[in-house]
Amino acid sequence: MCSIYSASNAWRVQQVTGEVKRAYRSPLRAESARRTRASVREAATALFVAQGYVRTTVKEIAAAAGVALRTVHTAYPGGKIEIFHEALDVATAGDEAAIAVIDRPEVRESLADPDRLIADLARHGTALLGRAGPLLAACVGSAGADPEMAELNELGARTMAADMRRVAEALDGHGLLAVPVDEAADVLFALCSPMLHDLLVGRRSWTAERYETWLARALRLLLTPR
């Protein structure tokens, strides 16, 4: 449920809007371009995770994707940072739609349903971090050496804080909070963070099922009336 670093979706929306204004392209050509972007993105994701953002070059991405360097520049005119933004957004959302997770219909339904809100938060958050966790770690690891990664890292933290505030307000609106909204938002921000997920799943070898069960129980114990 938490959108983590999907604030970069706003950047992607600008790119999509810009594409609409370009010359008409046939459906076949558009699909071919989409497949090329996906291949480049997947190859780049593997490299970003394996060796970090800073060490990865566009030339290496092209070689890993099996395409010409010019093809990568055509598919992603914004360069390596555009590839990373899109790779992170797709991993976060689970698809290519440029819609932040917090704004998706299934998440809005969860926020409106007091009986499933916490369980859905734990389930969606676990799945999201399972997909996007390695790229988030790459972003954090590169933030000290790359200004664009530092900016994305900070933007993601602000976005997640705002999203967790919306979740806390939804819990409060349903009468489910035993603590102030500000405290609830901070607890959600901490417990749903990619860093904590990495500690338990990545370093302590918890399964996704164990993490999801623990997260739901911890949120209920810390936030809801006894």
Side-chain angles (χ1 to χ4, degrees), residues 64-136:
V67 300
L69 184 59
R70 178 181 296 180
T71 300
V72 177
H73 288 303
T74 299
Y76 290 94
K80 188 169 68 168
I81 186 62
E82 181 182 357
I83 302 173
F84 191 92
H85 270 266
E86 184 168 295
L88 182 55
D89 284 337
V90 171
T92 299
D95 58 45
E96 297 180 353
I99 305 172
V101 175
I102 197 72
D103 294 324
R104 293 180 173 233
E106 62 272 21
V107 174
R108 290 181 177 276
E109 290 174 7
S110 295
L111 292 175
D113 189 339
D115 294 328
R116 52 184 273 208
L117 203 167
I118 290 179
D120 279 0
L121 173 63
R123 178 167 57 86
H124 288 304
T126 301
L128 184 157
L129 290 169
R131 294 189 304 266
L135 278 174
L136 293 170

Side-chain angles (χ1 to χ4, degrees), residues 167-214:
V167 175
E169 290 172 349
L171 288 166
D172 186 53
H174 295 308
L176 296 178
L177 284 186
V179 299
V181 171
D182 287 346
E183 180 178 336
D186 288 343
V187 168
L188 286 160
F189 181 83
L191 291 188
C192 295
S193 71
M195 288 74 76
L196 183 54
H197 177 269
D198 180 64
L199 284 173
L200 296 177
V201 177
R203 298 177 182 271
R204 301 306 303 162
S205 301
W206 282 24
T207 64
E209 292 76 14
R210 182 182 180 186
Y211 174 82
E212 178 184 337
T213 299
W214 169 83

